[in-house]
């Protein structure tokens, strides 16, 4: 490279120092030496310039190389980051997929549990309707009496601020309050005269029989308490156990009021139906003695709001075919 750079310079030198065009002039060795030195100087200059250019070029090349290396490194870094980001995104997507699958599994399990519970509930309700069928045949209690009691109980429980599922449980449990009467002899159940002490002892037994008949299933827990305690009194003078105040379950205290009110305001073989006003007065008179005064207050409020009347009318419309019977004995 050094030789090639120098060559054009030497060629240009060959023409630069003019040889004196003097006729007869002699070209001496000094001139040649001078020309040679000049040529060598020029060649050195050219050589130095070429070297500088080569160094400059090498420097530029190195800088470019460095810049390219930096760009490559940046590209590699970016590619690495991109791969990492892709991996994170894939991991995240997989986590979300797993989460979604877990949620679906949970939802499926909950749905299965809901179906199982619903089935259990249906079976329980079916059991109730069979028991009631037997009870109504035996006792001549009307379906509409039980339905009104149930609706009154639900309205009271709702008014006391109880959660919806408890209101429902109190409602369906209330219809079994007299189920134990299946065991009570007909001549006592259908008696139209005042019951003797012995007969009344037999009647009392329906609370205990009812509780026993309802078995041990959790579904009937409230129903058992109601069957056992619906003739207990707030002042402790009721039967069969003489429980008083809050010893008596809340459900039974509510059913007691609904059952007595409906018995008073319904026609029976041995009596006419009382007016709602007269029935309500009797309930109010029993507050603090026979009944829980707080529940009586709620019941009276429901009457004033026309809720009891509406329930009674709705039940009558859904089942106008009322049969006389006896209950709340
Ligand atoms: Fe009863």
């Amino acid at each position: 490279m050094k030789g090639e750079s120098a060559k054009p310079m030497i060629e240009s030198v060959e023409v630069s120092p003019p040889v004196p065009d003097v006729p007869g002039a002699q070209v001496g060795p000094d001139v040649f030496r001078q020309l040679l030195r000049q040529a060598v100087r020029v060649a050195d200059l050219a050589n130095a310039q070429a070297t500088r250019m080569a160094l400059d070029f090498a420097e530029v090349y190195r800088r470019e190389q460095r810049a390219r290396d930096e760009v490559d490194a940046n590209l590699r870094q970016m590619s690495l980051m991109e791969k990492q980001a892709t991996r994170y995104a894939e991991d995240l997507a997989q986590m979300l997929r797993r989460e979604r699958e877990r949620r679906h599994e949970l939802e499926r399990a909950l749905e299965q549990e809901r179906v199982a519970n619903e089935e259990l509930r249906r079976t329980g309700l079916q059991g109730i309707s069979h028991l009631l069928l037997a009870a109504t045949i035996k006792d001549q209690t009307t379906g509409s009496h039980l339905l009104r009691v149930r609706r009154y109980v639900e309205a009271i429980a709702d008014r006391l601020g109880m959660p919806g599922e408890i209101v429902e449980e109190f409602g369906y449990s209330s219809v079994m309050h007299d189920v134990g009467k299946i065991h009570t002899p007909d001549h006592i159940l259908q008696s139209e005269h005042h019951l003797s002490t012995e007969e009344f002892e037999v009647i009392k037994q329906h609370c205990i029989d009812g509780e026993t008949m309802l078995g041990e299933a959790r579904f009937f827990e409230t129903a058992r308490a109601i069957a056992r305690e619906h003739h207990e009194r707030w002042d402790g003078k009721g039967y069969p156990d003489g429980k008083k105040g809050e010893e008596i379950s809340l459900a039974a205290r509510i059913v007691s009021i609904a059952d007595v009110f409906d018995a008073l305001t319904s026609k029976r073989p041995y009596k006419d139906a009382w007016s709602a006003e007269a029935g309500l007065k009797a309930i109010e008179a029993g507050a603090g003695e026979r009944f829980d005064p707080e529940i009586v207050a709620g019941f009276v409020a429901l009457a004033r709001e026309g809720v009891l009347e509406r329930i009674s009318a709705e039940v009558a419309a859904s089942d106008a075919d009322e049969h006389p019977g006896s209950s709340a004995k």
Side-chain angles (χ1 to χ4, degrees), residues 177-178 181 206 230-231:
H177 64 275
D178 270 341
K181 282 186 178 172
H206 83 276
H230 70 281
H231 287 289

Side-chain angles (χ1 to χ4, degrees), residues 23-68:
Q26 291 292 312
V27 178
D30 286 347
V31 174
F32 280 118
R33 263 197 297 277
Q34 197 182 346
L35 282 172
L36 193 60
R37 270 199 302 276
Q38 204 172 354
V40 167
R41 207 166 44 245
V42 168
D44 283 347
L45 281 172
N47 204 9
Q49 196 175 355
T51 305
R52 262 198 316 277
M53 282 172 68
L55 287 172
D56 286 351
F57 178 76
E59 180 59 28
V60 168
Y61 181 79
R62 263 197 306 277
R63 273 206 299 268
E64 277 182 4
Q65 190 65 40
R66 263 202 307 274
R68 203 162 41 238

